[in-house]
Amino acid sequence: MIRAAVFRQPVAASINAGVQKFKDYKDGVFDTSGAIIGACKVGANHWVTIVGWGVDSSSKKKYWKLKNSWGTSWGVLGYMSIVRTGDGAGECGVQNEIYYALD
């Protein structure tokens, strides 16, 4: 459902951006699965825009491509690749609450 919406347009998504690991993101596919310290919680405290999706060529991880409002010095020129799960809330709750326009 989310991929179908993102295929047509950018989608607003709530996310938990409160952990330091999220704030320090520089590149790669962001994935805290298995992390003991710094793992994201599901509770939302920030909004991002999902602008696409893909599969990382080296790790083979599926990801959402996010645009953040923190400027081009954060992430990869203001963007993040965050691991995409098939269902549930997703990494940092990114799949938990989304908004997009209907035709």
Side-chain angles (χ1 to χ4, degrees):
M1 177 179 112
I2 300 173
R3 282 193 329 167
V6 173
F7 181 75
R8 294 182 10 203
Q9 67 200 2
V11 170
S14 64
I15 196 164
N16 185 311
V19 296
Q20 196 61 44
K21 188 173 179 179
F22 187 96
K23 294 173 184 176
D24 293 340
Y25 172 78
K26 297 287 182 217
D27 59 14
V29 178
F30 184 80
D31 182 2
T32 63
S33 62
I36 296 172
I37 298 172
C40 288
K41 307 294 184 218
V42 175
N45 59 15
H46 186 60
W47 287 89
V48 294
T49 305
I50 301 174
V51 297
W53 69 87
V55 178
D56 184 71
S57 59
S58 59
S59 69
K60 306 300 184 214
K61 290 181 182 180
K62 296 178 182 179
Y63 64 84
W64 294 115
K65 179 65 75 175
L66 307 181
K67 180 168 186 343
N68 201 346
S69 61
W70 293 346
T72 57
S73 62
W74 178 85
V76 181
L77 298 174
Y79 290 83
M80 169 189 259
S81 297
I82 189 168
V83 71
R84 175 170 50 100
T85 60
D87 57 358
E91 184 71 22
C92 299
V94 71
Q95 297 171 181
N96 201 37
E97 186 177 6
I98 63 166
Y99 292 95
Y100 56 93
L102 299 174
D103 286 340

Coordinates of all heavy atoms in Angstrom, one line a residue:
M1 N 0.8 -1.2 0.0 CA 0.0 0.0 0.0 C 0.9 1.3 0.0 O 0.6 2.2 -0.7 CB -0.9 0.0 1.2 CG -1.8 1.2 1.3 SD -2.9 1.2 2.7 CE -2.1 2.4 3.7
I2 N 1.9 1.3 0.8 CA 2.7 2.5 0.9 C 3.5 2.7 -0.4 O 3.6 3.8 -0.9 CB 3.7 2.5 2.1 CG1 2.9 2.4 3.4 CG2 4.6 3.7 2.1 CD1 3.8 2.2 4.6
R3 N 4.0 1.6 -1.0 CA 4.8 1.7 -2.2 C 3.9 2.2 -3.3 O 4.3 3.0 -4.2 CB 5.4 0.3 -2.6 CG 6.6 0.0 -1.8 CD 7.4 -1.1 -2.4 NE 6.6 -2.2 -3.0 CZ 7.1 -3.1 -3.8 NH1 8.4 -3.2 -3.9 NH2 6.4 -4.0 -4.3
A4 N 2.6 1.8 -3.4 CA 1.7 2.2 -4.4 C 1.5 3.7 -4.3 O 1.5 4.5 -5.3 CB 0.4 1.5 -4.3
A5 N 1.4 4.2 -3.0 CA 1.2 5.7 -2.8 C 2.4 6.4 -3.2 O 2.4 7.5 -3.9 CB 0.8 5.9 -1.4
V6 N 3.6 5.9 -2.8 CA 4.9 6.6 -3.1 C 5.2 6.6 -4.6 O 5.8 7.5 -5.2 CB 6.1 6.0 -2.3 CG1 7.4 6.5 -2.7 CG2 5.8 6.2 -0.8
F7 N 4.7 5.5 -5.3 CA 4.9 5.5 -6.8 C 4.2 6.7 -7.4 O 4.7 7.2 -8.4 CB 4.3 4.2 -7.3 CG 4.4 4.0 -8.8 CD1 5.7 3.7 -9.3 CD2 3.4 4.2 -9.6 CE1 5.8 3.5 -10.7 CE2 3.5 4.1 -11.0 CZ 4.7 3.7 -11.5
R8 N 3.1 7.1 -6.9 CA 2.3 8.2 -7.4 C 2.8 9.6 -7.0 O 2.6 10.6 -7.7 CB 0.8 8.0 -7.1 CG 0.3 6.8 -7.8 CD -1.2 6.6 -7.5 NE -1.8 7.8 -6.9 CZ -2.9 7.7 -6.2 NH1 -3.5 6.6 -6.0 NH2 -3.4 8.8 -5.6
Q9 N 3.3 9.7 -5.7 CA 3.6 11.0 -5.1 C 4.4 10.8 -3.9 O 4.4 9.7 -3.3 CB 2.3 11.7 -4.8 CG 1.6 11.0 -3.7 CD 0.1 11.4 -3.6 OE1 -0.4 12.1 -4.4 NE2 -0.6 10.9 -2.7
P10 N 5.1 11.9 -3.4 CA 5.8 11.8 -2.1 C 4.7 11.6 -1.0 O 3.6 12.1 -1.1 CB 6.4 13.2 -2.0 CG 6.6 13.6 -3.4 CD 5.4 13.1 -4.1
V11 N 5.1 10.9 0.1 CA 4.2 10.6 1.2 C 4.8 11.1 2.5 O 5.9 10.9 2.8 CB 4.0 9.0 1.2 CG1 3.3 8.6 2.5 CG2 3.3 8.5 0.0
A12 N 4.0 11.8 3.3 CA 4.4 12.3 4.6 C 4.3 11.1 5.6 O 3.4 10.3 5.6 CB 3.5 13.4 5.1
A13 N 5.4 10.9 6.4 CA 5.4 9.8 7.4 C 5.9 10.3 8.7 O 6.9 11.1 8.8 CB 6.3 8.7 6.8
S14 N 5.3 9.9 9.8 CA 5.8 10.2 11.1 C 6.9 9.2 11.4 O 6.9 8.0 10.9 CB 4.7 10.1 12.1 OG 4.2 8.7 12.2
I15 N 7.8 9.6 12.3 CA 9.0 8.7 12.6 C 9.5 9.1 14.0 O 9.3 10.2 14.4 CB 10.1 8.9 11.5 CG1 11.1 7.8 11.5 CG2 10.7 10.3 11.5 CD1 12.0 7.7 10.3
N16 N 10.2 8.2 14.6 CA 10.9 8.5 15.8 C 12.4 8.9 15.5 O 13.2 8.0 15.1 CB 10.9 7.4 16.8 CG 11.5 7.7 18.1 OD1 12.6 8.3 18.2 ND2 10.8 7.5 19.2
A17 N 12.7 10.1 15.5 CA 14.0 10.6 15.2 C 14.8 11.0 16.4 O 15.8 11.7 16.3 CB 13.9 11.8 14.2
G18 N 14.4 10.6 17.6 CA 15.0 11.0 18.8 C 16.3 10.3 19.2 O 17.0 10.8 20.1
V19 N 16.6 9.2 18.6 CA 17.8 8.5 19.0 C 19.1 9.1 18.3 O 19.0 9.6 17.2 CB 17.8 7.0 18.7 CG1 16.7 6.3 19.6 CG2 17.6 6.7 17.3
Q20 N 20.2 9.1 19.0 CA 21.4 9.7 18.5 C 21.8 9.1 17.2 O 22.3 9.8 16.3 CB 22.5 9.6 19.5 CG 23.7 10.6 19.2 CD 23.3 12.0 19.2 OE1 22.5 12.5 20.1 NE2 23.7 12.8 18.2
K21 N 21.7 7.8 17.1 CA 22.1 7.1 15.8 C 21.3 7.6 14.6 O 21.9 7.8 13.5 CB 21.8 5.6 16.0 CG 22.4 4.7 14.8 CD 22.2 3.3 15.1 CE 22.8 2.5 14.0 NZ 22.7 1.0 14.2
F22 N 20.1 8.0 14.8 CA 19.3 8.6 13.7 C 19.9 10.0 13.4 O 20.1 10.3 12.2 CB 17.8 8.7 14.1 CG 16.9 9.2 13.0 CD1 16.3 8.3 12.2 CD2 16.8 10.5 12.7 CE1 15.4 8.7 11.1 CE2 16.0 11.0 11.7 CZ 15.3 10.1 10.9
K23 N 20.1 10.8 14.4 CA 20.6 12.1 14.2 C 22.0 12.1 13.6 O 22.3 13.1 12.9 CB 20.7 12.8 15.6 CG 19.3 13.1 16.2 CD 19.4 13.6 17.6 CE 18.1 13.8 18.3 NZ 18.1 14.2 19.6
D24 N 22.8 11.1 13.8 CA 24.2 11.0 13.3 C 24.3 10.3 12.0 O 25.4 10.1 11.4 CB 25.1 10.3 14.3 CG 25.3 11.0 15.6 OD1 25.1 12.2 15.6 OD2 25.7 10.4 16.6
Y25 N 23.1 9.9 11.4 CA 23.1 9.2 10.1 C 23.9 9.9 9.0 O 23.8 11.1 8.8 CB 21.7 9.0 9.6 CG 21.6 8.4 8.2 CD1 21.8 7.0 8.0 CD2 21.3 9.2 7.1 CE1 21.8 6.5 6.7 CE2 21.3 8.6 5.9 CZ 21.5 7.3 5.7 OH 21.4 6.8 4.4
K26 N 24.8 9.2 8.3 CA 25.6 9.8 7.2 C 25.4 9.1 5.9 O 25.3 9.8 4.9 CB 27.1 9.6 7.6 CG 27.5 10.4 8.8 CD 27.6 11.9 8.6 CE 28.0 12.6 9.8 NZ 27.4 13.9 10.0
D27 N 25.2 7.7 5.9 CA 25.0 7.0 4.6 C 24.7 5.6 4.9 O 24.6 5.2 6.0 CB 26.2 7.1 3.7 CG 27.5 6.5 4.3 OD1 27.4 5.8 5.3 OD2 28.6 6.8 3.8
G28 N 24.4 4.8 3.8 CA 24.1 3.4 3.9 C 22.6 3.3 4.3 O 21.8 4.2 4.3
V29 N 22.2 2.0 4.5 CA 20.8 1.7 4.9 C 20.7 1.7 6.4 O 21.4 0.9 7.1 CB 20.3 0.4 4.3 CG1 18.9 0.1 4.8 CG2 20.4 0.4 2.8
F30 N 20.0 2.7 6.9 CA 19.8 2.8 8.4 C 18.9 1.6 8.9 O 17.8 1.4 8.4 CB 19.1 4.1 8.7 CG 19.0 4.4 10.2 CD1 20.0 4.9 10.9 CD2 17.8 4.1 10.8 CE1 19.9 5.1 12.3 CE2 17.6 4.4 12.2 CZ 18.7 4.9 12.9
D31 N 19.5 0.8 9.8 CA 18.8 -0.4 10.3 C 19.4 -0.6 11.7 O 20.5 -0.9 11.9 CB 19.2 -1.5 9.4 CG 18.5 -2.8 9.8 OD1 17.7 -2.8 10.8 OD2 18.7 -3.8 9.1
T32 N 18.5 -0.5 12.7 CA 18.9 -0.8 14.1 C 18.5 -2.1 14.6 O 18.6 -2.4 15.8 CB 18.3 0.3 15.1 OG1 16.9 0.2 15.1 CG2 18.8 1.7 14.7
S33 N 18.0 -3.0 13.7 CA 17.6 -4.3 14.1 C 18.8 -5.0 14.8 O 19.9 -5.0 14.2 CB 17.1 -5.2 13.0 OG 18.1 -5.3 12.0
G34 N 18.6 -5.6 15.9 CA 19.7 -6.3 16.6 C 20.5 -5.4 17.5 O 21.3 -5.8 18.3
A35 N 20.2 -4.1 17.4 CA 21.0 -3.1 18.3 C 20.5 -3.1 19.7 O 19.3 -3.2 19.9 CB 20.9 -1.7 17.7
I36 N 21.4 -3.1 20.6 CA 21.0 -3.1 22.1 C 20.8 -1.7 22.5 O 19.9 -1.3 23.2 CB 22.0 -3.9 22.9 CG1 22.0 -5.3 22.5 CG2 21.7 -3.7 24.4 CD1 23.1 -6.2 23.1
I37 N 21.8 -0.8 22.1 CA 21.8 0.6 22.5 C 21.4 1.4 21.3 O 22.0 1.2 20.2 CB 23.1 1.0 23.0 CG1 23.5 0.2 24.3 CG2 23.2 2.5 23.3 CD1 24.9 0.3 24.8
G38 N 20.5 2.4 21.4 CA 20.2 3.3 20.4 C 19.2 2.9 19.4 O 18.9 3.5 18.4
A39 N 18.5 1.8 19.7 CA 17.4 1.3 18.8 C 16.3 2.3 18.8 O 15.9 2.8 19.8 CB 17.0 -0.1 19.1
C40 N 15.7 2.5 17.6 CA 14.5 3.4 17.5 C 13.3 2.8 18.2 O 13.1 1.6 18.3 CB 14.2 3.6 16.1 SG 15.3 4.7 15.2
K41 N 12.5 3.7 18.8 CA 11.2 3.3 19.3 C 10.2 3.6 18.2 O 10.5 4.3 17.2 CB 10.9 4.0 20.6 CG 12.0 3.9 21.7 CD 12.1 2.5 22.2 CE 13.1 2.4 23.3 NZ 13.9 1.3 23.3
V42 N 9.0 3.2 18.5 CA 7.9 3.4 17.5 C 7.3 4.8 17.6 O 6.8 5.4 16.7 CB 6.8 2.3 17.5 CG1 5.7 2.6 16.6 CG2 7.5 1.0 17.2
G43 N 7.2 5.4 18.8 CA 6.6 6.7 19.0 C 7.1 7.8 18.1 O 8.3 8.0 18.1
A44 N 6.2 8.5 17.5 CA 6.6 9.5 16.5 C 6.9 10.8 17.2 O 6.3 11.2 18.2 CB 5.4 9.8 15.5
N45 N 7.9 11.5 16.7 CA 8.3 12.8 17.2 C 8.8 13.7 16.1 O 9.4 14.8 16.4 CB 9.3 12.7 18.4 CG 10.6 12.1 18.0 OD1 10.9 11.9 16.8 ND2 11.4 11.7 18.9
H46 N 8.7 13.3 14.9 CA 9.2 14.0 13.7 C 8.5 13.6 12.5 O 7.9 12.5 12.4 CB 10.7 13.7 13.6 CG 11.5 14.5 12.6 ND1 11.5 15.9 12.6 CD2 12.2 14.1 11.5 CE1 12.3 16.3 11.6 NE2 12.7 15.3 10.9
W47 N 8.5 14.4 11.4 CA 7.9 14.1 10.2 C 9.0 14.1 9.1 O 9.9 15.0 9.1 CB 6.8 15.0 9.8 CG 5.6 14.8 10.6 CD1 5.3 15.3 11.9 CD2 4.5 13.9 10.4 NE1 4.1 14.8 12.4 CE2 3.6 13.9 11.4 CE3 4.2 13.0 9.3 CZ2 2.5 13.2 11.5 CZ3 3.1 12.3 9.3 CH2 2.2 12.3 10.4
V48 N 8.9 13.2 8.2 CA 9.7 13.1 7.0 C 8.9 12.9 5.8 O 7.7 12.6 5.9 CB 10.8 12.0 7.1 CG1 11.8 12.2 8.2 CG2 10.1 10.6 7.3
T49 N 9.5 12.9 4.6 CA 8.8 12.6 3.4 C 9.4 11.4 2.7 O 10.6 11.3 2.5 CB 8.8 13.8 2.4 OG1 8.4 15.0 3.0 CG2 8.0 13.5 1.1
I50 N 8.6 10.3 2.5 CA 9.0 9.2 1.7 C 8.9 9.5 0.3 O 7.9 9.8 -0.3 CB 8.2 7.9 2.0 CG1 8.2 7.6 3.6 CG2 8.7 6.7 1.2 CD1 7.3 6.4 4.0
V51 N 10.1 9.5 -0.4 CA 10.1 9.9 -1.8 C 10.4 8.7 -2.8 O 10.4 8.9 -4.0 CB 11.1 11.0 -2.1 CG1 10.7 12.3 -1.3 CG2 12.5 10.6 -1.7
G52 N 10.8 7.5 -2.2 CA 11.1 6.4 -3.1 C 11.4 5.2 -2.3 O 11.3 5.2 -1.1
W53 N 11.8 4.1 -3.0 CA 12.3 2.9 -2.3 C 13.3 2.2 -3.2 O 13.4 2.5 -4.4 CB 11.1 2.0 -2.0 CG 10.4 1.4 -3.2 CD1 10.8 0.2 -3.9 CD2 9.3 1.9 -4.0 NE1 10.0 0.0 -5.0 CE2 9.1 1.0 -5.1 CE3 8.5 3.0 -3.8 CZ2 8.1 1.2 -6.0 CZ3 7.5 3.2 -4.8 CH2 7.3 2.3 -5.8
G54 N 13.9 1.2 -2.7 CA 14.9 0.5 -3.5 C 15.5 -0.7 -2.7 O 15.0 -1.0 -1.6
V55 N 16.5 -1.3 -3.3 CA 17.3 -2.4 -2.7 C 18.7 -2.1 -2.8 O 19.2 -1.8 -3.9 CB 17.0 -3.8 -3.4 CG1 17.8 -4.9 -2.7 CG2 15.5 -4.1 -3.3
D56 N 19.4 -2.1 -1.6 CA 20.8 -1.8 -1.6 C 21.6 -2.9 -2.3 O 21.4 -4.1 -2.0 CB 21.3 -1.7 -0.1 CG 22.8 -1.2 -0.1 OD1 23.1 -0.1 -0.4 OD2 23.6 -2.1 0.3
S57 N 22.5 -2.5 -3.2 CA 23.2 -3.5 -4.1 C 24.2 -4.3 -3.3 O 24.4 -5.5 -3.6 CB 23.9 -2.8 -5.2 OG 24.8 -1.8 -4.7
S58 N 24.8 -3.8 -2.2 CA 25.8 -4.6 -1.5 C 25.1 -5.4 -0.3 O 25.4 -6.5 -0.2 CB 26.9 -3.7 -0.9 OG 26.4 -2.7 -0.1
S59 N 24.2 -4.8 0.5 CA 23.7 -5.5 1.6 C 22.4 -6.3 1.2 O 21.9 -7.1 2.0 CB 23.3 -4.5 2.7 OG 22.3 -3.7 2.4
K60 N 21.8 -5.9 0.1 CA 20.5 -6.5 -0.4 C 19.4 -6.1 0.5 O 18.3 -6.7 0.4 CB 20.6 -8.0 -0.5 CG 21.8 -8.5 -1.3 CD 21.7 -8.0 -2.8 CE 22.8 -8.6 -3.6 NZ 23.3 -7.7 -4.6
K61 N 19.5 -5.1 1.4 CA 18.4 -4.7 2.2 C 17.5 -3.8 1.4 O 17.9 -2.9 0.7 CB 19.0 -3.9 3.4 CG 19.7 -4.7 4.4 CD 20.2 -3.8 5.6 CE 21.0 -4.6 6.6 NZ 21.5 -3.8 7.7
K62 N 16.2 -4.0 1.6 CA 15.2 -3.2 1.0 C 15.1 -1.9 1.9 O 15.2 -2.0 3.1 CB 13.8 -3.9 1.1 CG 13.8 -5.1 0.2 CD 12.4 -5.8 0.3 CE 12.4 -7.1 -0.5 NZ 11.1 -7.7 -0.4
Y63 N 14.9 -0.8 1.2 CA 14.8 0.5 2.0 C 13.8 1.5 1.4 O 13.4 1.3 0.3 CB 16.2 1.2 2.0 CG 16.7 1.6 0.6 CD1 16.3 2.8 0.1 CD2 17.6 0.8 -0.1 CE1 16.8 3.2 -1.2 CE2 18.0 1.2 -1.3 CZ 17.6 2.4 -1.9 OH 18.1 2.8 -3.1
W64 N 13.4 2.4 2.3 CA 12.6 3.6 1.9 C 13.6 4.7 1.7 O 14.6 4.8 2.5 CB 11.6 4.0 3.0 CG 10.5 3.0 3.2 CD1 10.3 2.4 4.4 CD2 9.4 2.7 2.3 NE1 9.2 1.6 4.2 CE2 8.6 1.8 3.0 CE3 9.1 3.1 1.0 CZ2 7.5 1.2 2.4 CZ3 8.0 2.5 0.4 CH2 7.2 1.6 1.1
K65 N 13.4 5.6 0.8 CA 14.3 6.8 0.6 C 13.5 7.9 1.2 O 12.3 8.2 0.8 CB 14.5 7.0 -0.9 CG 15.4 8.3 -1.1 CD 16.8 8.2 -0.6 CE 17.6 7.3 -1.5 NZ 19.0 7.3 -1.0
L66 N 14.0 8.5 2.3 CA 13.4 9.6 3.0 C 14.1 10.9 2.7 O 15.3 11.0 2.6 CB 13.5 9.4 4.5 CG 13.0 8.1 5.1 CD1 13.1 8.1 6.6 CD2 11.6 7.8 4.7
K67 N 13.3 12.0 2.7 CA 13.8 13.4 2.6 C 13.5 14.0 4.0 O 12.4 13.9 4.5 CB 13.1 14.2 1.5 CG 13.7 15.6 1.5 CD 13.3 16.3 0.3 CE 13.9 17.7 0.1 NZ 14.5 18.4 1.3
N68 N 14.5 14.5 4.6 CA 14.4 15.1 5.9 C 14.4 16.6 5.8 O 14.9 17.1 4.8 CB 15.5 14.6 6.9 CG 15.1 14.7 8.3 OD1 14.2 15.4 8.7 ND2 15.9 14.1 9.2
S69 N 14.0 17.3 6.8 CA 13.9 18.8 6.8 C 15.2 19.4 7.5 O 15.2 20.6 7.7 CB 12.7 19.3 7.6 OG 12.7 18.8 8.9
W70 N 16.2 18.6 7.9 CA 17.3 19.1 8.6 C 18.4 19.7 7.7 O 19.5 20.0 8.2 CB 17.9 18.0 9.5 CG 17.0 17.5 10.6 CD1 15.8 18.2 11.0 CD2 17.1 16.4 11.4 NE1 15.2 17.5 12.0 CE2 16.0 16.3 12.3 CE3 18.0 15.3 11.4 CZ2 15.8 15.3 13.2 CZ3 17.8 14.3 12.4 CH2 16.7 14.3 13.2
G71 N 18.2 19.8 6.5 CA 19.1 20.4 5.6 C 20.1 19.4 4.9 O 20.1 18.2 5.3
T72 N 20.9 19.9 4.0 CA 21.7 19.0 3.2 C 23.0 18.6 3.9 O 23.7 17.7 3.4 CB 22.2 19.8 1.9 OG1 22.8 21.0 2.2 CG2 20.9 20.0 1.0
S73 N 23.3 19.1 5.1 CA 24.4 18.6 5.9 C 24.1 17.3 6.6 O 25.0 16.7 7.1 CB 24.9 19.7 6.8 OG 23.9 20.0 7.8
W74 N 22.9 17.0 6.7 CA 22.5 15.7 7.4 C 22.3 14.6 6.4 O 21.8 14.9 5.2 CB 21.1 15.9 8.1 CG 20.6 14.7 8.8 CD1 21.0 14.2 10.0 CD2 19.7 13.7 8.2 NE1 20.3 13.0 10.3 CE2 19.6 12.7 9.2 CE3 19.0 13.6 7.0 CZ2 18.7 11.6 9.0 CZ3 18.2 12.5 6.8 CH2 18.1 11.5 7.8
G75 N 22.7 13.4 6.7 CA 22.5 12.3 5.8 C 23.3 12.4 4.5 O 24.4 12.9 4.5
V76 N 22.6 12.0 3.5 CA 23.2 12.1 2.1 C 22.5 13.3 1.4 O 21.4 13.1 0.9 CB 23.0 10.8 1.3 CG1 23.6 11.0 -0.1 CG2 23.6 9.6 2.0
L77 N 23.0 14.5 1.6 CA 22.4 15.7 1.1 C 21.0 15.9 1.5 O 20.1 16.3 0.8 CB 22.5 15.7 -0.4 CG 23.9 15.7 -1.0 CD1 23.9 15.6 -2.5 CD2 24.7 17.0 -0.5
G78 N 20.7 15.5 2.8 CA 19.3 15.7 3.3 C 18.4 14.4 3.2 O 17.3 14.5 3.6
Y79 N 19.0 13.4 2.7 CA 18.2 12.1 2.4 C 18.7 11.0 3.2 O 19.9 11.0 3.6 CB 18.2 11.7 0.9 CG 17.4 12.7 0.1 CD1 18.0 13.9 -0.4 CD2 16.1 12.4 -0.3 CE1 17.3 14.7 -1.2 CE2 15.4 13.2 -1.1 CZ 16.0 14.4 -1.6 OH 15.3 15.3 -2.4
M80 N 17.9 10.0 3.5 CA 18.2 8.8 4.2 C 17.6 7.6 3.5 O 16.5 7.7 3.0 CB 17.7 8.9 5.6 CG 17.7 7.5 6.4 SD 16.8 7.6 8.0 CE 18.2 7.8 9.1
S81 N 18.3 6.5 3.5 CA 17.8 5.2 3.2 C 17.6 4.5 4.5 O 18.5 4.3 5.2 CB 18.8 4.4 2.3 OG 19.0 5.1 1.1
I82 N 16.3 4.1 4.8 CA 16.0 3.4 6.0 C 15.3 2.1 5.7 O 14.5 2.0 4.7 CB 15.0 4.3 6.9 CG1 14.8 3.7 8.3 CG2 13.7 4.5 6.2 CD1 14.2 4.7 9.2
V83 N 15.7 1.0 6.4 CA 15.3 -0.3 6.1 C 13.8 -0.4 6.0 O 13.1 0.2 6.7 CB 15.9 -1.3 7.1 CG1 15.2 -1.2 8.5 CG2 15.8 -2.7 6.6
R84 N 13.3 -1.1 5.0 CA 11.9 -1.3 4.7 C 11.5 -2.7 5.1 O 12.0 -3.6 4.6 CB 11.6 -1.0 3.2 CG 10.2 -1.3 2.7 CD 10.0 -0.8 1.3 NE 10.9 -1.2 0.3 CZ 10.8 -2.2 -0.5 NH1 9.7 -3.0 -0.5 NH2 11.7 -2.6 -1.4
T85 N 10.4 -2.7 5.9 CA 9.9 -4.0 6.3 C 8.6 -4.3 5.6 O 7.9 -3.3 5.1 CB 9.7 -4.1 7.8 OG1 8.8 -3.1 8.2 CG2 11.0 -3.9 8.6
G86 N 8.2 -5.5 5.5 CA 7.0 -5.9 4.8 C 5.7 -5.4 5.4 O 4.7 -5.0 4.8
D87 N 5.7 -5.4 6.7 CA 4.5 -5.0 7.4 C 4.8 -4.4 8.8 O 6.0 -4.3 9.1 CB 3.5 -6.1 7.6 CG 4.1 -7.3 8.3 OD1 5.3 -7.3 8.7 OD2 3.4 -8.3 8.5
G88 N 3.8 -4.0 9.5 CA 4.1 -3.4 10.9 C 4.5 -2.0 10.8 O 4.4 -1.3 9.8
A89 N 5.0 -1.5 11.9 CA 5.4 -0.1 12.1 C 6.6 0.3 11.3 O 6.8 1.4 10.9 CB 5.6 0.2 13.5
G90 N 7.5 -0.7 11.0 CA 8.7 -0.4 10.3 C 9.8 0.2 11.2 O 9.5 0.5 12.4
E91 N 11.0 0.4 10.7 CA 12.1 1.0 11.4 C 11.8 2.4 11.9 O 11.3 3.2 11.1 CB 13.3 1.0 10.5 CG 14.6 1.5 11.2 CD 15.1 0.5 12.2 OE1 14.8 -0.7 12.1 OE2 15.9 0.9 13.1
C92 N 11.9 2.6 13.2 CA 11.6 3.9 13.8 C 10.2 4.3 13.6 O 9.8 5.5 13.7 CB 12.6 5.0 13.3 SG 14.3 4.7 13.6
G93 N 9.3 3.4 13.3 CA 7.9 3.7 13.1 C 7.5 4.3 11.8 O 6.4 4.8 11.7
V94 N 8.4 4.3 10.8 CA 8.2 5.0 9.6 C 7.0 4.5 8.8 O 6.4 5.3 8.0 CB 9.5 5.0 8.7 CG1 9.7 3.6 8.1 CG2 9.4 6.0 7.6
Q95 N 6.6 3.3 9.0 CA 5.4 2.7 8.3 C 4.1 2.8 9.1 O 3.1 2.4 8.7 CB 5.7 1.3 7.9 CG 6.8 1.1 7.0 CD 7.2 -0.4 6.7 OE1 8.2 -0.6 6.0 NE2 6.6 -1.3 7.4
N96 N 4.2 3.4 10.3 CA 3.1 3.4 11.2 C 2.0 4.4 10.9 O 0.8 4.2 11.0 CB 3.6 3.7 12.6 CG 2.7 3.2 13.7 OD1 2.0 2.2 13.5 ND2 2.6 3.9 14.8
E97 N 2.4 5.6 10.5 CA 1.5 6.7 10.2 C 1.9 7.5 9.0 O 2.9 8.2 9.0 CB 1.4 7.6 11.4 CG 0.3 8.7 11.3 CD 0.3 9.5 12.6 OE1 1.1 9.4 13.5 OE2 -0.6 10.4 12.7
I98 N 1.2 7.3 7.9 CA 1.5 8.0 6.7 C 0.3 8.8 6.2 O -0.9 8.4 6.4 CB 2.0 7.1 5.6 CG1 0.9 6.1 5.2 CG2 3.3 6.3 6.0 CD1 1.2 5.3 3.9
Y99 N 0.6 9.9 5.4 CA -0.5 10.7 4.8 C -0.1 11.0 3.4 O 1.0 11.3 3.1 CB -0.6 12.0 5.6 CG -1.2 11.8 7.0 CD1 -0.3 11.6 8.1 CD2 -2.5 11.7 7.2 CE1 -0.8 11.4 9.4 CE2 -3.0 11.5 8.5 CZ -2.2 11.3 9.6 OH -2.6 11.1 10.8
Y100 N -1.2 10.9 2.6 CA -1.0 11.3 1.1 C -2.4 11.7 0.6 O -3.4 11.3 1.1 CB -0.4 10.1 0.4 CG -1.1 8.8 0.5 CD1 -2.0 8.5 -0.5 CD2 -0.8 7.9 1.5 CE1 -2.7 7.2 -0.4 CE2 -1.4 6.7 1.6 CZ -2.4 6.4 0.6 OH -3.0 5.2 0.8
A101 N -2.3 12.4 -0.5 CA -3.6 12.9 -1.2 C -4.2 11.7 -2.0 O -3.5 10.9 -2.6 CB -3.3 14.0 -2.1
L102 N -5.5 11.7 -1.9 CA -6.3 10.7 -2.7 C -6.7 11.4 -4.0 O -7.0 12.6 -4.0 CB -7.5 10.2 -2.0 CG -7.1 9.4 -0.7 CD1 -8.4 9.1 0.1 CD2 -6.3 8.2 -1.0
D103 N -6.9 10.7 -5.1 CA -7.4 11.3 -6.3 C -8.9 11.7 -6.1 O -9.6 11.2 -5.5 CB -7.3 10.3 -7.4 CG -5.9 10.1 -7.9 OD1 -5.1 11.0 -7.6 OD2 -5.6 9.1 -8.6

